[in-house]
Amino acid sequence: MTGGGSYDEVDLEDMDWNESLKEFTYSCPCGDIFRITLEELKDGEEIARCPSCSLVLTVIYDPDELPSITNVEAATSGTTEEIA
């Protein structure tokens, strides 16, 4: 484990934007997904949690470069895609 108890560290651009959940997601080894919202990121949160197990993921990002929710939704056109 890295990041003081975190399962792993991942760059925000490597996560997927899930339009239906309105969250950034990343596959968890348990079969579910780590989740974190744009609002949580803007509030300084950096831990994505899996709702099915105890694992957490540290999200690496630059707060000054966070997209707005409108830009994320426009970029994905209503689908689950990777944000680059």
Side-chain angles (χ1 to χ4, degrees):
M1 285 196 199
T2 61
S6 177
Y7 162 71
D8 201 359
E9 295 180 350
V10 66
D11 290 324
L12 182 61
E13 61 259 15
D14 293 330
M15 296 182 78
D16 296 321
W17 172 252
N18 184 302
E19 176 64 26
S20 62
L21 294 174
K22 303 282 191 214
E23 296 175 319
F24 288 96
T25 63
Y26 193 81
S27 294
C28 180
C30 80
D32 204 343
I33 52 175
F34 294 102
R35 301 173 176 184
I36 193 165
T37 67
L38 182 58
E39 290 77 19
E40 289 171 326
L41 292 167
K42 287 185 175 187
D43 287 342
E45 180 63 62
E46 62 181 22
I47 301 298
R49 291 172 172 78
C50 176
S52 296
C53 72
S54 61
L55 294 178
V56 295
L57 185 73
T58 301
V59 181
I60 307 300
Y61 67 100
D62 181 346
D64 295 330
E65 295 182 8
L66 285 174
S68 71
I69 192 72
T70 304
N71 290 345
V72 170
E73 289 173 349
T76 60
S77 302
T79 61
T80 301
E81 293 179 5
E82 190 172 303
I83 302 298

